[in-house]
Amino acid sequence: VEDSPPATITNGFRLIIDAMKLNGLDTIYGVAGIPITDLARLAQASGIRYIGFRHEQSAGNAAAIAGYLTQKPGVCLTVSAPGFLNGMVALANATINGFPMIQISGSSDRAIVDLQQGDYEELDQMNAAKPFAKAAYRVNRPQDIGIGLARAIRAAVSGRPGGVYLDLTAEVLAATLDAGEGARSLVEVVDAAPHQLPAADAVSRALDLLAKAERPLIILGKGAAYAQADADIRSFIERTGVPFLPMSMAKGLLPDDHPQSAAAARSFALAQADVTMLIGARLNWLLGHGRSPEWSETAKFIQLDILPMEMDSNRAIAAPVVGDIASSIAAMLAGLAPGRVKPDAAWLAAIEEHKRKNIERMAARLQANPDPMDFYSALNAIKGVLADRPDIYLVNEGANTLDVTRNVIDMHAPRKRLDTGTWGVMGVGMGYAIGAAVTSGQPVVAIEGDSAFGFSGMELETICRYHLPVVTIVFDNGGIYRGDDINRGGGPDPAPTALMKGARYEKLIEAFGGTGYSAATPQALGRALRDALASGKPALINCAIDPTVGTESGHIGNLNPQSKLNAA
Ligand code: ADP
Ligand code: MG
């Protein structure tokens, strides 16, 4: 640890730690190295929990998901240039998803960087971060560390949350300052994410529109889950009787088996709704941009969001309600006269009918027991085990693995499903699993496609080193999408989408002292998962999935460009 300064003198290392502690930031996710090694040591010695990763992207993903779960910015610490850039992927993903996070990176000598004289890990990090961050700041004097962190905290959690970059130069870390002056320079942030009350006329406009609806629908997004207004959202939905659809990370905000859930009649509900109320969900690609053919041309929208400029971004919003969701939903509940919003009985009956048919179809797929196992039979085994465990966090990524898991595994509690999010990105798996386990102390099950797992698989070592209760399930079909493609040129190399056939992913975790299981049948998978969860220890279950099942690009094959010549 850095030389202890005399009591009357402090330095940059100590000031950033003091500033974090003053603001209740109690965990750092990072990778040590020049110039932040001593910062990590000193943080740990000062009572901040330090979780050391193998790659900055996973550390950043852990910080981002910690931010989503706690409404406090998750902190990621990296070295300069390449470490900084590795973390930037996670910071950009956090910003796109609206997760509060602060990436703190050490940086090289400003004088040399700015004249491009070729320093060790030379990079103008603050400017490189700007397009990917909600905000980016650099601290150039030790007396500015306190205000710098305060700005970073406010930027991360106020309004639409996002990722903030905070650059600490090696010079600032090492610089000394009179201890009294240092203490006075710290800032305790008061009310970092202030309530933003919706205007009364916006609330009544929204309620008027909902009252006129014959076929109303409510869509819950991860902004609604983030807001932690669970009880009010539930009572608004139950008191209006309006059917609801959860976006994937909002699953469990109301339980998936709630009678008003229209999830099993999703496409019907989207296409037929005459008024849709979006609560913390954007009309982006995940909702067909709010346009036909997914939606009716005459549908009208109510949107609850904290960001005014989100309104009309894809389609006209007839009743925008700008405010934080907790305040907005409370105001809507307060203005809701009993019986005023009343969905048509025919609408509810039609949704019921579609649900019934789709649930029957799904049950048949789940019950079929093909050999080798497919995504459905494997997930049916997992569903049986997780049904009694609403406490468990579910991390999920992959293509088919993502699509099928989202449809098969019901969630029963809010903010328990953590997945690829707004970008539909791969590589978040182990970072999210670690972030969820560290912040909650609860068990995590990560259901991963074999391809998706590969992006962060080395973090199994981190999971084992910190003894985290994470069970990773790899759906091993030997490829990206499917495992049966061939080299179309006939050469000896595997196809671009191919991965190792018959890989023994369970051996990876054994290298670090975790428990490996291999499962070729739903029965074996169910047994392994029960066993792994009962042990409370790190485990990996490798599931052999039929290489011939799976769809190219999963449910979003339409996004794969096709040559216009093919269509002609
Ligand atoms: P999903 O992918 O689940 O549909 P999105 O990430 O597209 O969700 O949308 C979440 C929306 O929620 C964003 O537009 C964001 O501005 C908004 N949001 C996030 N937190 C809050 C909050 N506390 N209050 C209001 N809106 C919020
Ligand atoms: Mg695969």
Side-chain angles (χ1 to χ4, degrees):
V1 182
E2 41 66 81
D3 291 340
S4 265
T8 54
I9 301 210
T10 188
N11 60 23
F13 292 110
R14 285 182 184 275
L15 283 168
I16 184 71
I17 288 160
D18 291 346
M20 279 185 61
K21 291 175 78 169
L22 184 64
N23 286 288
L25 302 179
D26 53 14
T27 308
I28 293 176
Y29 304 90
V31 179
I34 296 172
I36 49 87
T37 311
D38 270 354
L39 181 57
R41 289 201 184 105
L42 190 66
Q44 191 173 54
S46 314
I48 287 180
R49 185 149 196 220
Y50 179 85
I51 308 289
F53 285 72
R54 305 305 297 263
H55 192 285
E56 292 85 353
Q57 191 179 128
S58 292
N61 284 325
I65 213 66
Y68 170 70
L69 293 172
T70 63
Q71 298 182 327
K72 280 198 301 187
V75 177
C76 171
L77 181 66
T78 85
V79 302
S80 30
F84 156 83
L85 286 169
N86 286 343
M88 228 7 71
V89 174
L91 194 82
N93 187 54
T95 303
I96 291 294
N97 280 285
F99 300 161
M101 161 184 175
I102 300 173
Q103 176 174 327
I104 300 178
S105 300
S107 61
S108 303
D109 192 315
R110 290 236 42 81
I112 302 178
V113 170
D114 286 351
L115 271 175
Q116 297 172 37
Q117 294 172 313
D119 202 2
Y120 166 74
E121 298 195 343
E122 175 182 295
L123 184 70
D124 180 0
Q125 293 169 192
M126 179 186 68
N127 284 306
K130 279 182 182 164
F132 306 111
K134 186 178 169 193
Y137 306 108
R138 178 162 50 228
V139 179
N140 288 300
R141 306 184 302 177
Q143 61 268 39
D144 291 337
I145 286 176
I147 210 85
L149 187 69
R151 300 211 74 188
I153 292 170
R154 276 199 190 279
V157 297
S158 63
R160 174 186 285 173
V164 177
Y165 175 62
L166 186 64
D167 193 276
L168 294 183
T169 66
E171 261 177 309
V172 160
L173 288 170
T176 53
L177 195 68
D178 170 75
E181 193 191 336
R184 284 189 299 277
S185 73
L186 299 182
V187 177
E188 184 174 1
V189 178
V190 177
D191 195 14
H195 285 300
Q196 291 182 222
L197 302 188
D201 60 336
V203 171
S204 45
R205 188 189 297 119
L207 284 169
D208 285 348
L209 182 55
L210 197 61
K212 278 192 218 116
E214 293 171 358
R215 299 181 305 283
L217 178 67
I218 290 175
I219 294 189
L220 301 172
K222 59 182 169 309
Y226 174 83
Q228 300 194 14
D230 311 337
D232 274 0
I233 290 174
R234 183 171 185 149
S235 45
F236 188 82
I237 289 175
E238 290 181 344
R239 281 174 53 189
T240 57
V242 174
F244 72 93
L245 279 178
M247 299 301 287
S248 72
M249 283 182 61
K251 275 166 68 79
L253 181 44
L254 272 75
D256 277 332
D257 56 7
H258 191 284
Q260 283 170 255
S261 169
R266 189 176 195 273
S267 358
F268 173 78
L270 292 187
Q272 300 295 320
D274 63 351
V275 174
T276 296
M277 173 167 157
L278 301 158
I279 310 183
R282 286 171 280 189
L283 280 178
N284 57 16
W285 70 283
L286 290 157
L287 281 171
H289 301 282
R291 299 187 202 124
S292 126
E294 279 96 329
W295 297 86
S296 144
E297 298 285 0
T298 56
K300 291 200 161 59
F301 289 88
I302 300 164
Q303 184 162 22
L304 273 57
D305 204 290
I306 201 156
L307 191 70
M309 59 193 272
E310 183 57 37
M311 306 300 164
D312 305 326
S313 57
N314 284 270
R315 185 168 170 165
I317 301 298
V321 180
V322 174
D324 74 274
I325 282 169
S327 303
S328 297
I329 203 77
M332 297 220 24
L333 257 179
L336 183 69
R340 181 148 176 248
V341 175
K342 202 160 179 7
D344 271 12
W347 169 236
L348 301 181
I351 288 179
E352 271 319 301
E353 183 54 16
H354 277 81
K355 272 172 74 172
R356 194 184 54 76
K357 281 197 200 126
N358 287 336
I359 289 169
E360 268 170 26
R361 200 176 307 151
M362 175 64 91
R365 295 183 91 160
L366 291 174
Q367 289 316 315
N369 202 353
D371 180 19
M373 187 156 62
D374 69 359
F375 292 102
Y376 287 91
S377 57
L379 281 162
N380 196 36
I382 297 170
K383 185 184 173 84
V385 179
L386 296 188
D388 317 322
R389 297 293 305 267
D391 56 317
I392 287 178
Y393 284 87
L394 180 70
V395 170
N396 187 205
E397 60 178 339
N400 293 277
T401 302
L402 178 84
D403 295 332
V404 186
T405 303
R406 185 179 53 234
N407 289 340
V408 171
I409 306 289
D410 284 345
M411 304 305 296
H412 297 97
R415 294 171 294 284
K416 292 287 186 179
R417 189 186 148 85
L418 313 172
D419 68 26
T420 56
T422 303
W423 260 349
V425 72
M426 300 298 131
V428 296
M430 298 299 99
Y432 280 8
I434 293 168
V438 167
T439 47
S440 71
Q442 300 293 312
V444 179
V445 171
I447 305 182
E448 303 269 312
D450 51 349
S451 159
F453 171 68
F455 290 95
S456 65
M458 191 64 194
E459 302 300 342
L460 286 178
E461 191 272 338
T462 309
I463 290 169
C464 291
R465 187 162 25 99
Y466 288 92
H467 310 288
L468 299 174
V470 175
V471 182
T472 303
I473 301 176
V474 178
F475 279 180
D476 180 7
N477 68 347
I480 301 174
Y481 312 133
R482 296 164 63 105
D484 60 347
D485 202 6
I486 52 160
N487 183 330
R488 314 270 170 116
D493 284 344
T497 57
L499 295 169
M500 182 74 70
K501 305 259 176 290
R504 304 286 303 276
Y505 290 104
E506 76 278 13
K507 297 281 175 202
L508 289 174
I509 200 165
E510 290 174 3
F512 309 119
T515 311
Y517 302 85
S518 138
T521 64
Q523 293 72 21
L525 172 53
R527 268 198 310 273
L529 181 55
R530 260 192 211 94
D531 192 65
L533 287 172
S535 82
K537 299 211 175 94
L540 187 146
I541 308 172
N542 187 41
C543 301
I545 301 283
D546 186 349
T548 68
V549 295
T551 319
E552 178 105 346
S553 309
H555 289 186
I556 52 176
N558 60 312
L559 300 180
N560 239 350
Q562 297 290 323
S563 163
K564 301 251 184 318
L565 289 175
N566 292 347

